[in-house]
Amino acid sequence: MSDSLIGVSIASRSMAARDIVSLDLVSVDGALLPPFTPGAHIDLHLPGGLIRQYSLCNPSIETGSYRVAVLLDPETRGGSRAVHALSAGDRLFISAPRNHFPLVESSADIVLLGGGIGITPLLAMAYALYRESRSFTLHYCSRSSDRMAFREDLHTAPFADRVQLHFDDGDASQHFRAAEAMGSHVPGRYIYTCGPTGFLAHVLATAKTAGWPDEAVRYERFSADVDTHGGHFTIIAQRSGLSFTVGDDQTIAAALAANGIAVPLSCEQGVCGTCLTKVLEGVPDHRDLYLTDAERAANDSMTICCSRALTPTLVLDV
Ligand code: FES
């Protein structure tokens, strides 16, 4: 097991809403956990070898524990089922927190728009913004009240007066109206949003229509949203001495495997970094959520489970 992994145990397990389990994780040796910033996520190394990524949703000043909330999703490949099967006292390994969805350091006002389980990173943000006496509002949308995680926590939070809850099955007066919720952009105002694909598409389209500039609209997609499709290109596997085509509907990892080159894979959704591979020539079309902007711009590594090529050929160190 890698040195960078952290051994934790489940201090408590509860149902935060229908089909949503909440786990509090503490270090097995009683040490403090590494600090995190709002918007950060961790990898959970689950029984059966699965590795999945979940946002931390507790206040980021709490270094004694991490809280994750996970929706049971029968459509996925087993990650959420494995999390729901965990019990208090179980031990597992996690990664240190990484943050691809950080809050800007200063702002005049922030609008947090969360749909469903997409509330998790926004909760940590709300706690931090309140603590720092910064201006914000939080809109939280759910299909129904029994599916809304942490509803009681939000009612009793010190920032409860800045929270608006919206239910699809409630009366029309409280339905989510994205344009109304976000208002108009002025310099220093930012939107942070996370939620299911349809919710996110609606928020982003509304923001564009309302004239919000792209850089003022920050969002986090669920990892399963990564699009791995695109035109075909050639891979030269330098160390293996092989060259072959990656088809339109094929990933580089799948093409490598089809040519007898085994590569380590985990999430297969561009979030964990397990498949990170050195690029020797060519320009990758980065589709992942793992690399930072600076790492992408360096053009010397790529996640081969989902990323593709911007040049006709990529030479990889495999
Ligand atoms: Fe996780 Fe590729 S396997 S980023």
Side-chain angles (χ1 to χ4, degrees):
M1 198 60 70
S2 158
D3 285 340
S4 58
L5 294 182
I6 303 162
V8 294
S9 65
I10 298 173
S12 67
R13 178 194 188 280
S14 59
M15 294 308 289
R18 180 171 153 195
D19 291 338
I20 298 177
V21 72
S22 170
L23 304 176
D24 284 354
L25 310 172
V26 296
S27 166
V28 288
D29 58 10
L32 291 180
L33 292 166
F36 68 99
T37 49
H41 69 267
I42 54 171
D43 298 343
L44 256 54
H45 291 244
L46 297 163
L50 294 171
I51 304 175
R52 291 293 182 267
Q53 292 68 39
Y54 298 105
S55 297
L56 298 175
C57 57
N58 53 319
S60 51
I61 47 165
E62 292 178 359
T63 48
S65 67
Y66 293 153
R67 176 170 297 165
V68 293
V70 178
L71 171 68
L72 182 63
D73 185 351
E75 300 294 313
T76 61
R77 292 165 302 154
S80 67
R81 269 197 299 280
V83 175
H84 276 247
L86 294 169
S87 304
D90 283 353
R91 292 182 168 202
L92 65 158
F93 284 95
I94 62 170
S95 70
R98 284 178 69 93
N99 198 343
H100 299 304
F101 190 40
L103 277 172
V104 291
E105 287 187 1
S106 67
S107 59
D109 183 46
I110 286 186
V111 186
L112 304 171
L113 304 176
I117 198 64
I119 189 65
T120 48
L122 306 185
L123 258 188
M125 290 179 180
Y127 285 116
L129 291 168
Y130 175 77
R131 200 173 57 248
E132 294 164 13
S133 303
R134 294 169 63 183
S135 170
F136 74 98
T137 50
L138 167 62
H139 291 261
Y140 179 9
C141 311
S142 175
R143 283 160 57 191
S144 56
S145 59
D146 64 334
R147 292 180 180 275
M148 178 167 275
F150 306 120
R151 192 177 174 191
E152 274 318 301
D153 291 355
L154 286 168
H155 274 311
T156 56
F159 51 81
D161 58 336
R162 305 191 201 181
V163 177
Q164 290 189 42
L165 307 181
H166 308 276
F167 306 102
D168 291 353
D169 67 349
D171 70 86
S173 65
Q174 54 78 58
H175 281 172
F176 178 60
R177 293 177 183 83
E180 221 170 88
M182 66 180 67
S184 53
H185 175 259
V186 292
R189 283 197 90 212
Y190 291 86
I191 293 170
Y192 279 77
T193 184
C194 182
T197 307
F199 174 85
L200 210 51
H202 175 58
V203 168
L204 298 182
T206 306
K208 199 167 263 314
T209 305
W212 282 76
D214 290 350
E215 61 275 15
V217 183
R218 313 283 172 101
Y219 58 91
E220 185 164 72
R221 291 190 187 282
F222 292 151
S223 51
D225 291 340
V226 172
D227 179 9
T228 63
H229 299 98
H232 61 275
F233 53 94
T234 301
I235 286 290
I236 297 174
Q238 183 92 323
R239 277 191 282 129
S240 312
L242 293 175
S243 167
F244 46 83
T245 300
V246 178
D248 298 1
D249 290 330
Q250 204 177 23
T251 63
I252 297 176
L256 289 170
N259 285 275
I261 302 173
V263 287
L265 290 175
S266 172
C267 71
E268 297 181 60
Q269 297 170 346
V271 283
C272 73
T274 303
C275 67
L276 200 64
T277 299
K278 211 164 158 189
V279 178
L280 302 174
E281 275 179 52
V283 181
D285 176 3
H286 296 289
R287 304 283 182 91
D288 63 280
L289 304 167
Y290 178 79
L291 294 173
T292 62
D293 288 346
E295 288 167 336
R296 285 161 187 256
N299 260 343
D300 57 4
S301 63
M302 68 187 298
T303 56
I304 56 170
C305 66
C306 61
S307 295
R308 303 188 68 82
L310 291 176
T311 45
T313 302
L314 284 179
V315 184
L316 299 180
D317 186 24
V318 287

Short mmCIF file of all heavy atoms in Angstrom, two decimals, residues 69-116:
data_model
loop_
_atom_site.label_atom_id
_atom_site.label_comp_id
_atom_site.label_asym_id
_atom_site.label_seq_id
_atom_site.Cartn_x
_atom_site.Cartn_y
_atom_site.Cartn_z
N ALA A 69 -20.73 12.07 1.84
CA ALA A 69 -22.11 11.62 1.70
C ALA A 69 -22.25 11.01 0.31
O ALA A 69 -21.82 11.63 -0.67
CB ALA A 69 -23.08 12.78 1.88
N VAL A 70 -22.82 9.83 0.24
CA VAL A 70 -22.80 9.08 -1.02
C VAL A 70 -24.21 8.59 -1.36
O VAL A 70 -24.88 7.93 -0.55
CB VAL A 70 -21.84 7.88 -0.90
CG1 VAL A 70 -21.83 7.06 -2.18
CG2 VAL A 70 -20.43 8.37 -0.57
N LEU A 71 -24.63 8.93 -2.57
CA LEU A 71 -25.95 8.50 -3.07
C LEU A 71 -25.85 7.09 -3.64
O LEU A 71 -24.96 6.82 -4.46
CB LEU A 71 -26.41 9.47 -4.16
CG LEU A 71 -27.66 9.08 -4.94
CD1 LEU A 71 -28.90 9.14 -4.05
CD2 LEU A 71 -27.84 10.00 -6.15
N LEU A 72 -26.73 6.23 -3.22
CA LEU A 72 -26.77 4.87 -3.78
C LEU A 72 -27.30 4.97 -5.21
O LEU A 72 -28.43 5.41 -5.44
CB LEU A 72 -27.70 3.99 -2.94
CG LEU A 72 -27.79 2.53 -3.37
CD1 LEU A 72 -26.45 1.83 -3.24
CD2 LEU A 72 -28.84 1.80 -2.55
N ASP A 73 -26.46 4.61 -6.17
CA ASP A 73 -26.83 4.76 -7.57
C ASP A 73 -26.75 3.41 -8.27
O ASP A 73 -25.66 2.93 -8.59
CB ASP A 73 -25.89 5.76 -8.25
CG ASP A 73 -26.30 6.05 -9.68
OD1 ASP A 73 -27.19 5.35 -10.20
OD2 ASP A 73 -25.73 6.98 -10.28
N PRO A 74 -27.89 2.78 -8.52
CA PRO A 74 -27.87 1.45 -9.14
C PRO A 74 -27.31 1.45 -10.55
O PRO A 74 -26.94 0.41 -11.09
CB PRO A 74 -29.35 1.04 -9.13
CG PRO A 74 -30.13 2.27 -8.89
CD PRO A 74 -29.22 3.29 -8.28
N GLU A 75 -27.20 2.64 -11.16
CA GLU A 75 -26.70 2.73 -12.54
C GLU A 75 -25.18 2.65 -12.62
O GLU A 75 -24.61 2.48 -13.67
CB GLU A 75 -27.12 4.09 -13.16
CG GLU A 75 -28.60 4.34 -13.22
CD GLU A 75 -29.30 3.39 -14.14
OE1 GLU A 75 -28.83 3.21 -15.26
OE2 GLU A 75 -30.31 2.80 -13.72
N THR A 76 -24.50 2.85 -11.49
CA THR A 76 -23.04 2.90 -11.54
C THR A 76 -22.45 1.50 -11.38
O THR A 76 -23.18 0.54 -11.17
CB THR A 76 -22.47 3.83 -10.45
OG1 THR A 76 -22.85 3.31 -9.19
CG2 THR A 76 -23.00 5.23 -10.63
N ARG A 77 -21.10 1.45 -11.44
CA ARG A 77 -20.46 0.14 -11.50
C ARG A 77 -20.08 -0.40 -10.12
O ARG A 77 -19.13 -1.15 -9.99
CB ARG A 77 -19.23 0.23 -12.40
CG ARG A 77 -19.59 0.45 -13.85
CD ARG A 77 -18.40 0.88 -14.64
NE ARG A 77 -17.85 2.10 -14.08
CZ ARG A 77 -16.59 2.48 -14.20
NH1 ARG A 77 -15.76 1.74 -14.85
NH2 ARG A 77 -16.18 3.60 -13.67
N GLY A 78 -20.78 -0.01 -9.09
CA GLY A 78 -20.57 -0.67 -7.80
C GLY A 78 -19.96 0.17 -6.72
O GLY A 78 -19.93 -0.24 -5.56
N GLY A 79 -19.44 1.36 -7.05
CA GLY A 79 -18.79 2.19 -6.04
C GLY A 79 -19.74 2.59 -4.93
O GLY A 79 -19.44 2.42 -3.75
N SER A 80 -20.91 3.10 -5.29
CA SER A 80 -21.82 3.57 -4.25
C SER A 80 -22.38 2.40 -3.44
O SER A 80 -22.60 2.53 -2.24
CB SER A 80 -22.95 4.40 -4.86
OG SER A 80 -23.80 3.62 -5.67
N ARG A 81 -22.56 1.26 -4.09
CA ARG A 81 -23.03 0.08 -3.34
C ARG A 81 -21.99 -0.35 -2.30
O ARG A 81 -22.32 -0.69 -1.18
CB ARG A 81 -23.31 -1.09 -4.29
CG ARG A 81 -24.74 -1.13 -4.81
CD ARG A 81 -25.07 -2.49 -5.39
NE ARG A 81 -24.23 -2.83 -6.52
CZ ARG A 81 -24.41 -2.36 -7.76
NH1 ARG A 81 -25.42 -1.55 -8.01
NH2 ARG A 81 -23.61 -2.71 -8.72
N ALA A 82 -20.71 -0.29 -2.69
CA ALA A 82 -19.64 -0.67 -1.77
C ALA A 82 -19.58 0.29 -0.59
O ALA A 82 -19.33 -0.12 0.55
CB ALA A 82 -18.30 -0.70 -2.50
N VAL A 83 -19.83 1.57 -0.84
CA VAL A 83 -19.81 2.55 0.26
C VAL A 83 -20.99 2.29 1.19
O VAL A 83 -20.86 2.30 2.42
CB VAL A 83 -19.86 4.00 -0.28
CG1 VAL A 83 -19.96 4.99 0.88
CG2 VAL A 83 -18.63 4.30 -1.12
N HIS A 84 -22.16 2.03 0.62
CA HIS A 84 -23.35 1.81 1.45
C HIS A 84 -23.22 0.54 2.28
O HIS A 84 -23.87 0.41 3.32
CB HIS A 84 -24.61 1.79 0.57
CG HIS A 84 -25.15 3.16 0.29
ND1 HIS A 84 -26.36 3.62 0.78
CD2 HIS A 84 -24.61 4.19 -0.39
CE1 HIS A 84 -26.53 4.88 0.39
NE2 HIS A 84 -25.48 5.24 -0.34
N ALA A 85 -22.38 -0.40 1.84
CA ALA A 85 -22.22 -1.64 2.59
C ALA A 85 -21.27 -1.49 3.78
O ALA A 85 -21.16 -2.38 4.62
CB ALA A 85 -21.69 -2.74 1.66
N LEU A 86 -20.59 -0.35 3.88
CA LEU A 86 -19.65 -0.15 4.99
C LEU A 86 -20.42 0.09 6.30
O LEU A 86 -21.52 0.63 6.29
CB LEU A 86 -18.76 1.07 4.70
CG LEU A 86 -17.79 0.92 3.52
CD1 LEU A 86 -17.18 2.28 3.17
CD2 LEU A 86 -16.70 -0.10 3.84
N SER A 87 -19.78 -0.31 7.40
CA SER A 87 -20.39 -0.15 8.72
C SER A 87 -19.48 0.68 9.61
O SER A 87 -18.26 0.76 9.36
CB SER A 87 -20.59 -1.51 9.39
OG SER A 87 -21.34 -2.36 8.57
N ALA A 88 -20.05 1.23 10.68
CA ALA A 88 -19.23 1.94 11.67
C ALA A 88 -18.17 0.98 12.18
O ALA A 88 -18.44 -0.20 12.43
CB ALA A 88 -20.10 2.44 12.80
N GLY A 89 -16.95 1.47 12.31
CA GLY A 89 -15.85 0.64 12.80
C GLY A 89 -15.02 0.04 11.67
O GLY A 89 -13.87 -0.35 11.90
N ASP A 90 -15.57 -0.06 10.48
CA ASP A 90 -14.79 -0.59 9.34
C ASP A 90 -13.59 0.32 9.07
O ASP A 90 -13.65 1.53 9.29
CB ASP A 90 -15.65 -0.65 8.07
CG ASP A 90 -16.61 -1.82 8.09
OD1 ASP A 90 -16.52 -2.65 9.02
OD2 ASP A 90 -17.46 -1.89 7.17
N ARG A 91 -12.53 -0.31 8.58
CA ARG A 91 -11.33 0.46 8.25
C ARG A 91 -11.10 0.44 6.75
O ARG A 91 -11.43 -0.54 6.08
CB ARG A 91 -10.11 -0.15 8.94
CG ARG A 91 -10.16 0.01 10.45
CD ARG A 91 -8.93 -0.54 11.09
NE ARG A 91 -8.87 -0.13 12.49
CZ ARG A 91 -7.76 -0.09 13.21
NH1 ARG A 91 -6.61 -0.42 12.67
NH2 ARG A 91 -7.80 0.31 14.47
N LEU A 92 -10.54 1.52 6.24
CA LEU A 92 -10.20 1.57 4.82
C LEU A 92 -9.09 2.59 4.62
O LEU A 92 -8.71 3.30 5.54
CB LEU A 92 -11.41 1.88 3.95
CG LEU A 92 -12.11 3.23 4.06
CD1 LEU A 92 -12.89 3.50 2.79
CD2 LEU A 92 -13.08 3.22 5.24
N PHE A 93 -8.56 2.61 3.40
CA PHE A 93 -7.54 3.60 3.06
C PHE A 93 -8.17 4.70 2.21
O PHE A 93 -9.08 4.44 1.41
CB PHE A 93 -6.39 2.96 2.30
CG PHE A 93 -5.47 2.17 3.18
CD1 PHE A 93 -5.63 0.80 3.34
CD2 PHE A 93 -4.45 2.81 3.88
CE1 PHE A 93 -4.79 0.08 4.17
CE2 PHE A 93 -3.60 2.09 4.71
CZ PHE A 93 -3.78 0.72 4.85
N ILE A 94 -7.65 5.90 2.42
CA ILE A 94 -8.09 7.03 1.61
C ILE A 94 -6.85 7.78 1.12
O ILE A 94 -5.75 7.59 1.64
CB ILE A 94 -8.99 8.02 2.41
CG1 ILE A 94 -8.21 8.62 3.59
CG2 ILE A 94 -10.25 7.33 2.89
CD1 ILE A 94 -8.92 9.76 4.28
N SER A 95 -7.05 8.63 0.11
CA SER A 95 -5.96 9.51 -0.32
C SER A 95 -6.01 10.79 0.50
O SER A 95 -7.00 11.07 1.18
CB SER A 95 -6.16 9.87 -1.79
OG SER A 95 -7.27 10.74 -1.92
N ALA A 96 -4.96 11.57 0.40
CA ALA A 96 -5.02 12.93 0.94
C ALA A 96 -5.98 13.74 0.07
O ALA A 96 -6.21 13.39 -1.10
CB ALA A 96 -3.63 13.56 0.91
N PRO A 97 -6.57 14.80 0.61
CA PRO A 97 -7.51 15.61 -0.19
C PRO A 97 -6.83 16.29 -1.37
O PRO A 97 -5.67 16.69 -1.29
CB PRO A 97 -8.00 16.66 0.81
CG PRO A 97 -7.66 16.14 2.15
CD PRO A 97 -6.44 15.30 1.98
N ARG A 98 -7.57 16.39 -2.48
CA ARG A 98 -7.15 17.18 -3.65
C ARG A 98 -8.30 18.12 -3.97
O ARG A 98 -9.45 17.76 -3.76
CB ARG A 98 -6.93 16.27 -4.87
CG ARG A 98 -5.67 15.47 -4.86
CD ARG A 98 -5.61 14.58 -6.10
NE ARG A 98 -5.43 15.34 -7.33
CZ ARG A 98 -4.25 15.60 -7.89
NH1 ARG A 98 -3.14 15.16 -7.34
NH2 ARG A 98 -4.17 16.30 -9.01
N ASN A 99 -7.98 19.29 -4.52
CA ASN A 99 -9.05 20.24 -4.79
C ASN A 99 -9.00 20.76 -6.23
O ASN A 99 -8.09 21.51 -6.59
CB ASN A 99 -8.99 21.42 -3.81
CG ASN A 99 -10.31 22.18 -3.77
OD1 ASN A 99 -11.13 22.03 -4.68
ND2 ASN A 99 -10.52 22.97 -2.74
N HIS A 100 -9.95 20.34 -7.04
CA HIS A 100 -10.08 20.86 -8.41
C HIS A 100 -11.21 21.89 -8.50
O HIS A 100 -11.60 22.29 -9.59
CB HIS A 100 -10.39 19.72 -9.38
CG HIS A 100 -9.33 18.68 -9.43
ND1 HIS A 100 -8.02 18.96 -9.72
CD2 HIS A 100 -9.37 17.34 -9.20
CE1 HIS A 100 -7.30 17.86 -9.68
NE2 HIS A 100 -8.09 16.87 -9.36
N PHE A 101 -11.79 22.24 -7.35
CA PHE A 101 -12.99 23.08 -7.34
C PHE A 101 -12.87 24.10 -6.21
O PHE A 101 -13.75 24.23 -5.37
CB PHE A 101 -14.18 22.14 -7.11
CG PHE A 101 -15.56 22.73 -7.30
CD1 PHE A 101 -15.84 23.62 -8.32
CD2 PHE A 101 -16.59 22.34 -6.46
CE1 PHE A 101 -17.12 24.13 -8.49
CE2 PHE A 101 -17.88 22.83 -6.61
CZ PHE A 101 -18.14 23.73 -7.64
N PRO A 102 -11.73 24.84 -6.21
CA PRO A 102 -11.49 25.73 -5.06
C PRO A 102 -12.28 27.02 -5.13
O PRO A 102 -12.60 27.50 -6.23
CB PRO A 102 -9.99 26.02 -5.18
CG PRO A 102 -9.70 25.92 -6.64
CD PRO A 102 -10.65 24.87 -7.20
N LEU A 103 -12.55 27.59 -3.99
CA LEU A 103 -13.20 28.92 -3.92
C LEU A 103 -12.18 29.99 -4.30
O LEU A 103 -11.00 29.87 -3.97
CB LEU A 103 -13.65 29.19 -2.49
CG LEU A 103 -14.99 28.61 -2.03
CD1 LEU A 103 -15.16 28.83 -0.54
CD2 LEU A 103 -16.15 29.23 -2.81
N VAL A 104 -12.63 31.02 -5.00
CA VAL A 104 -11.74 32.16 -5.23
C VAL A 104 -11.43 32.79 -3.87
O VAL A 104 -12.22 32.70 -2.93
CB VAL A 104 -12.40 33.24 -6.13
CG1 VAL A 104 -12.55 32.74 -7.54
CG2 VAL A 104 -13.73 33.70 -5.57
N GLU A 105 -10.26 33.40 -3.79
CA GLU A 105 -9.85 33.90 -2.47
C GLU A 105 -10.62 35.13 -2.04
O GLU A 105 -10.85 35.34 -0.86
CB GLU A 105 -8.35 34.15 -2.45
CG GLU A 105 -7.63 32.82 -2.43
CD GLU A 105 -6.15 32.92 -2.25
OE1 GLU A 105 -5.64 34.05 -2.13
OE2 GLU A 105 -5.51 31.86 -2.25
N SER A 106 -11.00 35.96 -3.01
CA SER A 106 -11.82 37.10 -2.61
C SER A 106 -12.96 37.24 -3.61
O SER A 106 -12.82 36.89 -4.78
CB SER A 106 -10.98 38.37 -2.56
OG SER A 106 -10.57 38.69 -3.86
N SER A 107 -14.06 37.73 -3.13
CA SER A 107 -15.25 37.87 -3.98
C SER A 107 -16.17 38.87 -3.31
O SER A 107 -16.12 39.06 -2.09
CB SER A 107 -15.96 36.52 -4.11
OG SER A 107 -16.33 36.06 -2.82
N ALA A 108 -17.01 39.50 -4.13
CA ALA A 108 -18.01 40.40 -3.56
C ALA A 108 -19.21 39.59 -3.09
O ALA A 108 -19.86 39.92 -2.10
CB ALA A 108 -18.43 41.41 -4.61
N ASP A 109 -19.49 38.49 -3.81
CA ASP A 109 -20.67 37.68 -3.49
C ASP A 109 -20.56 36.35 -4.22
O ASP A 109 -20.03 36.30 -5.33
CB ASP A 109 -21.94 38.42 -3.94
CG ASP A 109 -23.21 37.65 -3.57
OD1 ASP A 109 -23.30 37.19 -2.41
OD2 ASP A 109 -24.08 37.52 -4.44
N ILE A 110 -21.01 35.30 -3.57
CA ILE A 110 -20.96 33.99 -4.20
C ILE A 110 -22.34 33.34 -4.15
O ILE A 110 -23.02 33.37 -3.11
CB ILE A 110 -19.90 33.09 -3.53
CG1 ILE A 110 -18.50 33.58 -3.96
CG2 ILE A 110 -20.09 31.63 -3.90
CD1 ILE A 110 -17.35 32.75 -3.52
N VAL A 111 -22.76 32.78 -5.29
CA VAL A 111 -24.04 32.07 -5.37
C VAL A 111 -23.73 30.59 -5.49
O VAL A 111 -23.08 30.16 -6.45
CB VAL A 111 -24.84 32.52 -6.62
CG1 VAL A 111 -26.23 31.88 -6.60
CG2 VAL A 111 -24.95 34.04 -6.68
N LEU A 112 -24.14 29.82 -4.51
CA LEU A 112 -23.92 28.37 -4.51
C LEU A 112 -25.21 27.70 -4.99
O LEU A 112 -26.27 27.92 -4.39
CB LEU A 112 -23.57 27.87 -3.11
CG LEU A 112 -22.36 28.55 -2.42
CD1 LEU A 112 -22.28 28.10 -0.95
CD2 LEU A 112 -21.08 28.20 -3.14
N LEU A 113 -25.11 26.92 -6.07
CA LEU A 113 -26.30 26.26 -6.62
C LEU A 113 -26.06 24.75 -6.64
O LEU A 113 -25.25 24.25 -7.45
CB LEU A 113 -26.56 26.77 -8.05
CG LEU A 113 -26.72 28.29 -8.21
CD1 LEU A 113 -26.87 28.66 -9.68
CD2 LEU A 113 -27.92 28.80 -7.41
N GLY A 114 -26.74 24.03 -5.76
CA GLY A 114 -26.51 22.59 -5.65
C GLY A 114 -27.73 21.80 -6.04
O GLY A 114 -28.86 22.12 -5.66
N GLY A 115 -27.51 20.74 -6.82
CA GLY A 115 -28.60 19.84 -7.19
C GLY A 115 -28.31 18.46 -6.62
O GLY A 115 -27.23 17.91 -6.86
N GLY A 116 -29.24 17.90 -5.85
CA GLY A 116 -29.08 16.54 -5.33
C GLY A 116 -27.79 16.38 -4.53
O GLY A 116 -27.42 17.25 -3.74
#
